[in-house]
Amino acid sequence: MADNLVIVESPAKAKTISQYLGKDYYVTASMGHVRDLPKSKMGIDTEHDFEPSYMVPVDKKKVISGLKSKIKAGTKIWVATDEDREGEAIGWHLLQALKVDSKKHDVKRIVFHEITKSAILDSIKNPRELNMNLVDAQQARRVLDRLVGYELSPLLWKKIRYGLSAGRVQSVAVRLIVDREREIRAFKSDEYWKITGTFTGDAKTKFEAMLSHINDKKAEVGDKKSSDKILKDLDGASYKIESVTEKLINRNPAPPFITSTLQQEASRKLGFSVKKTMVVAQQLYEGVETDKEHSGLITYMRTDSFNLSAQAIKQAAEVITKTYGKEYIADKPRVYKKAKGAQEAHEAIRPTDLERTPEMVKKFLSRDQFRLYELIWQRMIACQMATAKLKALDVLIEAAKGGSKLPYTFKATGQTVAFPGFMKVYIEDEDDAPETESLTGGKHEKILPPLKENEKLKCDKIDPTQHFTQPPARYTEASLVKKLEAEGIGRPSTYAPTITTIQVRGYIEKEGKALKPTDTGEVVTDFLVEHFKDIIDYKFTAEMEEDLDLIANGDKKWVPIIKSFYTPFHKVILDKEKSVNKADVVNAESDEICEKCGSKMVIKLGRYGKFLSCSNYPTCKNAKPIAKEGGDAAVEAPKIDEELKRKLKDKKCDKCGAPMEVKVGRYGNFLGCTNYPDCKNIQPIITFTGVKCPKCKDGQLVERHARRTGKVFYGCNKFPKCKFATWDKPTNEKCGKCGGLMVEKKDGLACVECTKKPAAGTAKAGAAKSTAVKAKATKKKS
């Protein structure tokens, strides 16, 4: 039994650390949190200082018993969880769940920003005690979020729809997306025209210039009539260079990555979701197998600090000199300003060893790991490189006609790179950047020919083009993270789960990279804005984050902060339960008239969005999708199999005796009682395939739908007695080799038994392949 027990969160992290410590250290993983609030109830005693009732989940009891078995009298326990609030709380919960007696056991807390041998050994030499301020800050966030979720969510069930939920940070994120969508809808597009001239000077090289000024004022051409007048005035005009202005522009690199900027750049450059970025970054942090050892490749990826160690800055200079030359090193080490509330003890995200170039470690990494590591390596190297020097050229062109100067001035701009500096390695992308000239010789860069003042120009053509002003762009995951950070909403550890959660809950959806609110997201947001203004207020949410920071710093106590929030919040909950009418929330008037009975239609919120329903329901059951502008239906109207309706028209409800009718749900047709809502009886419609079950021989395979995804599969109708199921559509054909069930595949028929993943190269594998090929050929022939 080792004298020292080192506990981390994950097996990968344990594997890396165990290499650096001797045989006297046993390194193991807690597999994340080992205690949490119960799922079945709130678990917060609101009457007694909001005391949480923590429990060890069933799946973690084995972990705890395993850890206890490693602790004997005299065992030194090293808590080596991540150095942030979450990691500190995991460490505290571990000790509580293990019931560690401080009198019997020596407990040490060790922290490190990177998983390297030097960092681990240094942490062992410099242990500290658990920081209860950090634990309290995490506990305050957990309690706060639980209070909001467990009191507000049931209200949403009653007043909007069952199954909805609300979150303190998530609901604010949804509001940002809803507000932006409404800005887009309210946007009134204005027409404008660009007038571009193509000119040739003494160098005989064509270049373009834009009409920039009319009568020494910024050119504003609002319609075709104005454009046509300008073209008429310029007909037959002569042109010359009025002025040439050259200036040198210095451009400095972006700072090293912190969590938010890594998520943004990985989204822009690599197309990663914020969740994927954090998953891959975690893998690089915890370590990968290389030729020499299992090693952590980057520093801790949840950080809001731009701080860099002196050692990292020194190594960056050495790598830059060796790779690019001494002239590419910054005049002096770049030190970046601390972000508000950032923990200076933390470092920015950087490679643990800059000598490990992306190409050197590529063979050890997956494609995603390599791309993210390359991005981090480039950003770190670039931030310590020399300033880029650009030459910008502005050329003004005057027009004249009949010896008189016209009131029209054209402007050509161009730029060249005098010295690339950091741009040789890396340039930060921008969200929704206009397609202007790049600074590195990209496809949009304009390089002007040599031009001088008073040089006469030949005009090859004047092109007018019509344009319209564009509404603000929808948020992407990258720009949403940027906005949340700018507003002070959430912290590095919350951005990814927040954005993932609001998509999973169906409040927003993606169109390409853009985030768009669903009807449900808009209705819930409107409800919260009207009735719970503080919960969804940007400033209020940011101030709450600042309070949590003050708790972490030891400047405030957590219980008074929670109490000051909960007392008025709970009062509003009680009030809204009585005063809010569900119909006022989920229904809205419309101008549509029911074509079946002549009554007014109302807009209702269904499970999958808004639709039009007859106000004369249930006498008239007419319902239809809401039309888009231009007349197209927003969603396709549900289709019901008429033959199915005819077959089941005499079906009676087994609970109240009323007729049953065929309805369309998320996963297909089902029978619902016509006496709804007084009777809510529903029955599945079972579609028989006519194929006997190959397992029990007594049952028949029927079409079913997966509960979570709705995906069609085929299972025995004797379930749960017989649990046979297959994703592939069964046929009545038998396998020529084994007599087994044949199912439809994309490339033909295949036998379920013969295709049960035998090891490659075995006789069984060969037989399976042969059977599938023969079946495919048979099907084609027939």
Side-chain angles (χ1 to χ4, degrees):
M1 180 68 65
D3 295 330
N4 297 274
L5 177 65
V6 182
I7 308 175
V8 298
E9 297 100 317
S10 72
K13 192 174 175 182
K15 182 179 180 180
T16 308
I17 292 174
S18 63
Q19 317 178 117
Y20 307 137
L21 301 174
K23 61 182 180 180
D24 291 334
Y25 291 84
Y26 180 79
V27 187
T28 189
S30 71
M31 311 301 290
H33 274 282
V34 294
R35 291 203 314 172
D36 198 4
L37 297 170
K39 291 184 178 180
S40 58
K41 58 182 180 179
M42 182 183 285
I44 308 292
D45 188 346
T46 57
E47 300 296 324
H48 298 90
D49 289 341
F50 304 94
E51 182 69 27
S53 299
Y54 293 114
M55 61 172 287
V56 177
V58 174
D59 62 332
K60 290 300 173 73
K61 287 183 178 179
K62 190 175 180 181
V63 173
I64 293 299
S65 62
L67 289 170
K68 281 183 176 179
S69 69
K70 302 295 181 184
I71 302 173
K72 305 299 179 188
T75 301
K76 186 178 286 187
I77 301 170
W78 301 81
V79 177
T81 48
D82 291 337
E83 190 191 13
D84 57 13
R85 295 174 198 174
E86 202 73 21
E88 208 75 15
I90 290 174
W92 178 73
H93 281 293
L94 267 167
L95 298 178
Q96 297 296 310
L98 293 170
K99 296 182 171 59
V100 171
D101 187 344
S102 59
K103 294 178 181 178
K104 293 182 180 180
H105 302 101
D106 189 6
V107 178
K108 303 289 186 184
R109 171 70 167 123
I110 55 172
V111 293
F112 34 82
H113 310 302
E114 58 189 59
I115 305 178
T116 59
K117 187 173 184 178
S118 59
I120 300 304
L121 294 180
D122 186 61
S123 70
I124 293 288
K125 292 176 186 175
N126 299 282
R128 63 166 172 80
E129 293 184 352
L130 273 173
N131 185 332
M132 288 308 298
N133 292 330
L134 294 179
V135 174
D136 285 346
Q138 191 277 341
Q139 185 165 247
R141 179 186 291 278
R142 189 74 185 92
V143 168
L144 189 61
D145 291 343
R146 175 56 67 103
L147 291 171
V148 171
Y150 271 59
E151 293 219 346
L152 192 49
S153 296
L155 185 65
L156 295 179
W157 303 350
K158 295 174 185 175
K159 306 305 179 183
I160 301 179
R161 193 182 70 228
Y162 181 79
L164 296 177
S165 59
R168 188 178 54 86
V169 176
Q170 295 97 316
S171 296
V172 177
V174 175
R175 182 186 178 181
L176 283 168
I177 295 165
V178 169
D179 286 351
R180 175 61 59 86
E181 192 70 20
R182 287 172 177 170
E183 279 183 65
I184 294 169
R185 289 175 194 159
F187 183 83
K188 301 298 182 185
S189 186
D190 292 325
E191 179 185 10
Y192 70 98
W193 287 68
K194 287 184 179 179
I195 297 176
T196 309
T198 304
F199 301 95
T200 308
D202 295 342
K204 307 300 181 186
T205 301
K206 290 183 179 180
F207 66 96
E208 289 185 348
M210 195 82 64
L211 179 67
S212 63
H213 288 80
I214 302 174
N215 288 319
D216 296 326
K217 293 181 180 179
K218 183 180 176 182
E220 294 181 352
V221 184
D223 50 37
K224 188 175 186 300
K225 184 178 178 181
S226 302
S227 173
D228 288 344
K229 179 184 182 304
I230 293 169
L231 261 62
K232 185 177 179 181
D233 291 347
L234 292 172
D235 186 29
S238 60
Y239 302 87
K240 73 172 183 177
I241 304 293
E242 181 181 304
S243 65
V244 177
T245 306
E246 184 178 284
K247 57 183 176 181
L248 196 64
I249 299 173
N250 290 333
R251 184 173 175 185
N252 291 319
F257 280 130
I258 58 176
T259 304
S260 60
T261 53
L262 177 63
Q263 290 171 346
Q264 291 168 53
E265 276 292 83
S267 175
R268 298 167 185 142
K269 284 187 176 349
L270 309 180
F272 285 7
S273 67
V274 291
K275 181 180 179 181
K276 181 175 182 177
T277 297
M278 297 311 290
V279 168
V280 177
Q282 181 95 26
Q283 294 164 358
L284 295 174
Y285 166 68
E286 292 183 340
V288 298
E289 202 73 47
T290 64
D291 281 337
K292 297 179 181 178
E293 60 186 5
H294 197 87
S295 180
L297 296 187
I298 65 170
T299 53
Y300 191 52
M301 64 285 155
R302 291 186 182 89
T303 177
D304 51 8
S305 172
F306 293 116
N307 189 37
L308 292 171
S309 69
Q311 182 184 353
I313 292 173
K314 182 175 180 254
Q315 192 185 37
E318 292 168 356
V319 172
I320 292 164
T321 302
K322 185 167 66 175
T323 311
Y324 304 104
K326 198 168 185 179
E327 69 273 21
Y328 280 91
I329 302 175
D331 294 336
K332 59 181 181 179
R334 296 186 188 276
V335 178
Y336 293 91
K337 188 178 179 182
K338 175 185 174 183
K340 182 182 177 183
Q343 299 179 59
E344 198 60 38
H346 289 183
E347 274 201 74
I349 303 168
R350 60 165 176 83
T352 55
D353 183 357
L354 288 165
E355 292 283 354
R356 287 196 192 106
T357 65
E359 286 304 317
M360 284 176 62
V361 296
K362 187 174 184 178
K363 63 182 177 180
F364 307 115
L365 305 178
S366 69
R367 182 172 180 268
D368 289 338
Q369 288 172 340
F370 168 73
R371 294 170 74 204
L372 193 64
Y373 180 77
E374 182 180 50
L375 197 68
I376 294 167
W377 187 90
Q378 290 173 341
R379 178 91 164 211
M380 174 60 203
I381 289 291
C383 83
Q384 294 302 314
M385 290 179 73
T387 298
K389 298 185 183 300
L390 312 169
K391 279 185 181 177
L393 202 64
D394 286 350
V395 178
L396 296 181
I397 301 167
E398 68 174 45
K401 194 173 182 181
S404 299
K405 183 179 176 181
L406 293 172
Y408 306 113
T409 303
F410 286 79
K411 183 178 181 179
T413 59
Q415 53 197 2
T416 56
V417 179
F419 175 67
F422 75 91
M423 295 196 309
K424 196 172 183 73
V425 176
Y426 178 89
I427 300 177
E428 184 178 43
D429 280 1
E430 295 179 13
D431 292 309
D432 310 309
E435 289 197 350
T436 56
E437 311 84 62
S438 76
L439 301 178
T440 54
K443 64 180 181 179
H444 298 297
E445 182 185 31
K446 293 180 183 176
I447 301 177
L448 297 175
L451 297 167
K452 58 184 182 294
E453 284 188 19
N454 296 315
E455 181 179 340
K456 291 184 178 180
L457 303 173
K458 176 191 172 187
C459 179
D460 295 306
K461 61 179 177 178
I462 301 288
D463 277 337
T465 52
Q466 184 186 37
H467 299 268
F468 294 91
T469 54
Q470 296 298 310
R474 284 178 176 147
Y475 285 109
T476 61
E477 289 197 4
S479 60
L480 182 60
V481 167
K482 188 175 182 178
K483 180 65 173 176
L484 289 170
E485 185 181 39
E487 294 286 344
I489 299 165
R491 287 297 180 261
S493 61
T494 65
Y495 299 137
T498 293
I499 293 174
T500 300
T501 298
I502 60 179
Q503 291 180 66
V504 170
R505 287 179 177 172
Y507 293 145
I508 65 169
E509 58 191 10
K510 273 189 172 182
E511 282 190 4
K513 280 190 174 183
L515 301 176
K516 176 185 175 184
T518 61
D519 288 340
T520 302
E522 292 196 47
V523 170
V524 170
T525 297
D526 288 342
F527 176 82
L528 294 177
V529 168
E530 182 177 354
H531 302 291
F532 296 88
K533 191 174 181 181
D534 281 351
I535 291 292
I536 208 162
D537 180 73
Y538 303 142
K539 186 179 178 183
F540 176 84
T541 307
E543 287 172 351
M544 185 60 73
E545 292 292 350
E546 290 175 2
D547 281 340
L548 293 172
D549 290 343
L550 291 171
I551 295 169
N553 294 333
D555 298 324
K556 279 192 176 184
K557 297 297 182 184
W558 74 272
V559 172
I561 287 176
I562 299 298
K563 187 174 184 178
S564 66
F565 164 81
Y566 180 73
T567 302
F569 169 70
H570 183 65
K571 186 178 179 181
V572 175
I573 289 282
L574 296 177
D575 173 62
K576 299 304 177 183
E577 283 182 344
K578 298 175 182 176
S579 63
V580 176
N581 181 9
K582 179 177 180 178
D584 295 336
V585 179
V586 298
N587 298 343
E589 290 187 1
S590 81
D591 295 327
E592 290 272 335
I593 301 297
C594 176
E595 65 274 20
K596 292 187 177 180
C597 73
S599 302
K600 264 208 165 189
M601 302 285 278
V602 293
I603 299 171
K604 290 193 172 186
L605 177 69
R607 185 175 180 83
Y608 309 110
K610 292 181 178 178
F611 65 97
L612 286 167
S613 175
C614 184
S615 59
N616 196 22
Y617 181 87
T619 304
C620 176
K621 296 174 182 175
N622 186 25
K624 59 184 179 180
I626 297 173
K628 293 179 182 176
E629 287 183 20
D632 294 333
V635 291
E636 228 179 271
K639 293 179 180 176
I640 294 177
D641 187 334
E642 292 300 322
E643 178 64 15
L644 194 63
K645 284 178 69 176
R646 186 184 62 77
K647 286 181 178 179
L648 299 172
K649 65 182 178 68
D650 297 327
K651 186 77 174 173
K652 300 293 183 182
C653 176
D654 55 352
K655 290 189 176 180
C656 72
M660 299 287 277
E661 65 178 353
V662 179
K663 295 187 176 183
V664 178
R666 182 174 187 177
Y667 305 131
N669 297 323
F670 68 95
L671 283 170
C673 182
T674 56
N675 197 24
Y676 180 87
D678 294 326
C679 177
K680 297 179 180 178
N681 185 27
I682 62 171
Q683 296 175 5
I685 297 175
I686 299 175
T687 304
F688 286 84
T689 62
V691 178
K692 281 189 176 181
C693 175
K695 187 174 181 181
C696 70
K697 310 298 183 184
D698 294 329
Q700 186 179 147
L701 298 184
V702 296
E703 184 179 303
R704 298 186 185 277
H705 294 82
R707 184 174 296 175
R708 290 183 63 190
T709 64
K711 186 178 177 181
V712 173
F713 72 96
Y714 301 87
C716 183
N717 70 328
K718 299 294 184 181
F719 179 86
K721 183 179 178 181
C722 176
K723 296 181 180 179
F724 176 83
T726 175
W727 290 111
D728 304 304
K729 188 173 183 179
T731 72
N732 266 315
E733 296 186 44
K734 303 293 182 185
C735 175
K737 186 173 181 66
C738 70
L741 175 70
M742 299 291 283
V743 294
E744 292 183 5
K745 294 278 189 181
K746 288 182 179 178
D747 55 353
L749 300 183
C751 175
V752 170
E753 290 299 318
C754 295
T755 54
K756 277 187 177 177
K757 298 183 180 178
T762 63
K764 192 174 181 182
K769 184 177 180 183
S770 173
T771 304
V773 170
K774 286 177 182 177
K776 183 179 177 182
T778 302
K779 187 178 180 184
K780 283 184 177 179
K781 189 175 179 181
S782 62

